[in-house]
Amino acid sequence: MSLRSETGPYFGDFGGRFVPEPLIAALDELTEAWELAKADPEFLAELDELNRNYIGRPSLITEVPRFAEHAGGARIILKREDLNHTGSHKINNVLGQAILTKRIGKTRIIAETGAGQHGVATATAAALFGMECVIYMGEVDTERQALNVARMRLLGAEVVSVKTGSRTLKDANNDALRDWVTNVETTNYIFGTVAGPHPFPSLVRDLQKIIGEEARQQVLDLTGKLPDAVAACVGGGSNAIGIFHAFLDDSAVGLYGFEAAGDGADTPRHAATITKGRPGVLHGARSMLLQDEDGQTIESHSISAGLDYPGVGPEHSWLASIGRASYRPITDAQAMDAFRLLSRTEGIIPAIESSHALAGALELGKELGPDAVILVNLSGRGDKDMETAGRYFHLIDENAVQS
Amino acid sequence: MSAHHSATTASPVEAAIAATKTSGAGALIGYLPVGFPDLQTSIDAAIALAENGVDVIELGLPYSDPVMDGPVIQEATEVARAAGFRLRDGFTAVRAITERTDVPIVLMTYWNPVMQYGVERFADDLVAAGGAGLITPDLIPDEAAEWLAASERTGLDRVFLAAPTSSDERLRQAVEVCRGFVYAVSTMGITGARQDVDSAARTLVARLRDAGATSACVGLGISTAEQVAEVLEYADGAIVGSALVKALADGGVSGVARVAAALAEGTRRTK
Ligand SMILES: Cc1ncc(COP(=O)(O)O)c(C=O)c1O
């Protein structure tokens, strides 16, 4: 059977709807609306038009030979989601859900955001569609991604700085869910990744799978064959499932997700959910989870706000459990080295999130050898990360030189 | 057995609620989190509830991601967790409280802690401690097969939520599977005191009655004796949380005792 035909609510033992009853009607409504929309030529035409003329799809692929010299000589090809309008893959999902919001007659949209890319994409869609928009963002993240907070406000969104718990993405998620429970009559929750209760894991996946569908054909056209490996970073897992999905039934293509290992997967400070977690429930789905013995969620840590999440989407937990995809940890230091290396060798400044996939590709290239072709999802650009990088590499002092 | 078979039920919670309707207007159900501000004080405070007119005690287990809770309960449970709350403290508290009062106790817990503890083991330990059942805010009956089986085996009560947005079919399902009572969510929202308890609650309880409910309690936003009395005009019980937690935070055990006694005024039959 095709691995591409899973629609939820369950992916193997993972998924489901572990949410308060007041949200069930809204989830049912979204599930039904999505079933109708994805088979409706009018919806598909509207989305296609926005993909082409607003996002700039199809996104390019770019081969990066100077970078690949550091990867055992394997060929490395980047899928350029960083070139999308608003700077990451997040916009693919948001525009689809914004059209869906319009179809179910709601006028207010809310979202959680970590790095701010999903928040910026949602604020952008709200401006484009004339909707009211509230973005929940952990206080820690509003500080490390201050530029994105300014972008969201400029676009007309209200940004709520969340001060509970670890003050990062998971707590922003909690507050967005609380808002949704309270305002569900007028409000649609535009979920930013392939986690959460059904239908979000399959809905967001369906809107992101265009990445892999384009890239599969683009790599075939360029090289005459499928890649040997596909690499992506994994926070909640939307860019990874987006590029993996088209390849799920190509059993010769290795699929590799790279999780944020922070200070190291064997230290207490990391976000390597599949590597180090065990099954549990968070934010509406049963999936792998960083948690203590009592089932209390453990705070995650990563230099990258977009990967700083103790959970992961259920489809990834399933793909890991059946061995179809492998998940590996990448530390802050490895990611920042790859961040600088791509900037220096290719003139492309990647998002720190995406730099985890790049660091993973450097490892994979050395393992697979010079004949291998590795497709990497460059999920976003690094403009938003310049303050973090500036501090990390001491670029902003008065006497700073090249790092 | 379920919330619509009161004549045959062995549920101590349903019996306690039913008894209040002969002596008064209905039941007062009081919520406090275990371990706030510390374990012993939370035990003393729960006993103070029982001694001041609360008919069923709802003990919350502090959890890292309480999506149904407003700021007052979030803050209290964060204090409890920072002070080292462990899941086993829940059983310690139930045991200590049942030693000193006959008022039945249900635990209110998000689902992941139960899942990690082991559903069967959790049920056995709750029975052993003298607890009556569970309220599960983020577990819907559709996902609850393991808990339905464990509660069937042990006879524990199981309280699921019903919401103004729930379909008639889902309300029937809630009435069918709930035992003890059905938790009618008064308004769309999270826990926390409100000026008006929504008229949506009255409509929801009427719909639950149509679905066969004989034991339906209303929660979220109730903070005064007047609101308790108003809710008991149509429901079997009124659930108060944030107002009690705030009273405990501000005035300690004697403070929460005073507020409980004042709320209990709302359960007196007036007509
Ligand atoms: C550029 C970029 N890549 C990746 C992620 C991680 O999310 P996901 O795992 O859903 O792709 C984010 C999240 O903010 C991001 O901004």
Side-chain angles (χ1 to χ4, degrees):
Chain A
M1 221 195 60
S2 170
L3 296 175
R4 299 196 69 196
S5 58
E6 297 296 324
T7 58
Y10 300 99
F11 301 87
D13 289 338
F14 304 102
R17 300 196 295 181
F18 294 85
V19 293
E21 174 67 22
L23 289 180
I24 295 296
L27 293 174
D28 281 343
E29 177 184 39
L30 264 185
T31 304
E32 195 183 326
W34 180 238
E35 288 308 314
L36 292 173
K38 71 184 181 188
D40 179 354
E42 208 174 299
F43 172 85
L44 296 173
E46 186 173 357
L47 184 60
D48 185 61
E49 204 275 327
L50 287 172
N51 278 341
R52 283 174 198 287
N53 300 320
Y54 193 72
I55 301 181
R57 302 207 72 86
S59 64
L60 303 177
I61 58 167
T62 303
E63 182 158 7
V64 286
R66 278 171 41 78
F67 179 78
E69 282 171 19
H70 301 263
R75 286 182 79 174
I76 295 184
I77 298 165
L78 306 181
K79 177 63 172 166
R80 301 292 305 278
E81 294 299 303
D82 62 317
L83 297 179
N84 295 342
H85 177 47
T86 72
S88 82
H89 68 294
K90 296 286 182 186
I91 191 83
N92 302 331
N93 165 46
V94 164
L95 290 182
Q97 291 204 55
I99 305 174
L100 206 57
T101 304
K102 201 174 60 175
R103 283 172 71 104
I104 59 178
K106 293 186 176 174
T107 53
R108 176 176 179 268
I109 54 182
I110 57 171
E112 83 295 343
T113 196
Q117 289 303 102
H118 176 58
V120 166
T122 304
T124 298
L128 180 65
F129 285 83
M131 292 169 178
E132 187 186 341
C133 179
V134 179
I135 304 293
Y136 291 90
M137 190 169 187
E139 190 179 35
V140 170
D141 295 336
T142 59
E143 284 159 13
R144 62 179 157 178
Q145 309 276 230
L147 269 179
N148 270 345
V149 175
R151 288 170 82 193
M152 289 184 268
R153 290 186 173 142
L154 184 67
L155 289 161
E158 179 189 343
V159 180
V160 177
S161 170
V162 176
K163 296 178 173 60
T164 52
S166 55
R167 298 176 293 128
T168 58
L169 181 53
K170 101 177 161 64
D171 310 285
N173 228 310
N174 291 341
D175 264 7
L177 281 167
R178 292 183 185 113
D179 180 316
W180 204 28
V181 173
T182 309
N183 301 300
V184 67
E185 255 175 60
T186 58
T187 299
N188 191 27
Y189 184 2
I190 300 205
F191 211 79
T193 190
V194 289
H198 180 71
F200 291 118
S202 53
L203 164 55
V204 177
R205 190 268 324 272
D206 288 346
L207 290 166
Q208 290 291 4
K209 69 183 183 185
I210 190 169
I211 301 172
E213 287 168 353
E214 288 173 4
R216 189 175 181 280
Q217 190 58 49
Q218 288 167 318
V219 172
L220 274 174
D221 292 346
L222 179 73
T223 69
K225 62 185 186 80
L226 292 174
D228 299 286
V230 178
C233 66
V234 181
S238 67
N239 88 90
I241 210 76
I243 198 161
F244 287 176
H245 197 258
F247 297 98
L248 286 179
D249 293 330
D250 300 320
S251 57
V253 179
L255 304 176
Y256 297 88
F258 293 96
E259 303 190 303
D263 291 350
D266 293 323
T267 73
R269 293 176 56 84
H270 64 80
T273 306
I274 294 178
T275 308
K276 286 290 173 182
R278 59 174 205 280
V281 168
L282 177 67
H283 297 145
R286 184 172 190 277
S287 192
M288 297 301 275
L289 176 64
L290 298 177
Q291 56 186 321
D292 71 11
E293 193 191 331
D294 281 356
Q296 308 276 356
T297 310
I298 293 176
E299 292 179 14
S300 55
H301 293 278
S302 169
I303 193 169
S304 138
L307 305 183
D308 198 348
Y309 184 61
V312 67
E315 194 167 6
H316 286 293
S317 295
W318 172 63
L319 291 173
S321 74
I322 62 172
R324 178 61 190 98
S326 311
Y327 298 84
R328 299 182 178 185
I330 294 290
T331 62
D332 287 353
Q334 286 175 288
M336 293 311 287
D337 282 350
F339 175 92
R340 182 169 54 184
L341 186 63
L342 189 74
S343 303
R344 286 296 173 76
T345 55
E346 302 286 349
I348 298 171
I349 302 176
I352 297 177
E353 289 79 14
S354 323
S355 301
H356 288 71
L358 292 165
L362 294 175
E363 265 183 11
L364 280 177
K366 288 169 198 152
E367 289 169 30
L368 299 176
D371 296 332
V373 174
I374 302 171
L375 171 66
V376 181
N377 196 4
L378 195 70
S379 57
R381 56 181 178 241
D383 305 33
K384 69 183 175 60
D385 294 315
M386 287 322 299
E387 206 177 308
T388 304
R391 234 177 298 119
Y392 190 88
F393 293 119
H394 309 292
L395 302 174
I396 306 182
D397 317 339
E398 230 169 83
N399 304 316
V401 292
Q402 294 98 309
S403 62
Chain B
M1 268 185 295
S2 56
H4 62 304
H5 290 152
S6 57
T8 56
T9 186
S11 158
V13 171
E14 187 164 353
I17 293 170
T20 62
K21 286 187 283 188
T22 44
S23 61
L28 175 62
I29 300 176
Y31 166 97
L32 287 174
V34 177
F36 175 75
D38 57 70
L39 182 58
Q40 189 54 50
T41 307
S42 68
I43 291 167
D44 295 340
I47 291 161
L49 294 188
E51 289 170 347
N52 286 278
V54 166
D55 302 296
V56 175
I57 296 169
E58 177 186 344
L59 277 187
L61 299 182
Y63 173 58
S64 51
D65 298 276
V67 295
M68 266 305 279
D69 286 310
V72 170
I73 294 177
Q74 279 180 53
E75 269 167 43
T77 55
E78 276 193 38
V79 167
R81 285 185 0 96
F85 167 80
R86 292 297 311 265
L87 216 48
R88 58 175 174 265
D89 298 341
F91 302 116
T92 305
V94 170
R95 188 170 283 115
I97 298 163
T98 48
E99 271 169 16
R100 287 168 58 189
T101 173
D102 293 333
V103 167
I105 304 173
V106 286
L107 290 182
M108 195 301 272
T109 178
Y110 291 87
W111 194 238
N112 196 48
V114 180
M115 213 176 107
Q116 300 306 321
Y117 196 87
V119 178
E120 296 289 346
R121 178 175 162 232
F122 195 99
D124 287 335
D125 288 2
L126 183 55
V127 170
L134 287 185
I135 300 174
T136 50
D138 64 346
L139 185 70
I140 56 174
D142 322 48
E143 302 283 0
E146 240 188 311
W147 167 229
L148 293 180
S151 51
E152 221 36 54
R153 180 178 64 77
T154 52
L156 286 169
D157 282 335
R158 47 188 186 231
V159 175
F160 294 95
L161 271 47
T165 51
S166 304
S167 65
D168 290 343
E169 191 188 327
R170 292 193 65 79
L171 293 186
R172 268 194 304 278
Q173 180 194 35
V175 171
E176 188 61 41
V177 300
C178 282
R179 183 164 57 206
F181 62 93
V182 182
Y183 194 126
V185 175
S186 66
T187 179
M188 295 305 289
I190 55 178
T191 58
R194 286 181 179 74
Q195 296 290 312
D196 310 298
V197 174
D198 219 290
S199 69
R202 194 182 286 268
T203 309
L204 174 59
V205 172
R207 291 176 62 215
L208 283 167
R209 299 275 187 233
D210 288 344
T214 53
S215 189
C217 300
V218 172
L220 296 201
I222 304 173
S223 62
T224 66
E226 292 70 35
Q227 288 171 329
V228 169
E230 187 192 317
V231 162
L232 293 182
E233 285 171 17
Y234 54 90
D236 303 299
I239 306 165
V240 180
S242 297
L244 292 169
V245 177
K246 186 167 184 311
L248 178 58
D250 295 346
V253 174
S254 60
V256 81
R258 257 194 318 279
V259 170
L263 286 162
E265 287 298 317
T267 65
R268 297 200 197 291
R269 195 186 298 281
T270 48
K271 295 169 200 151

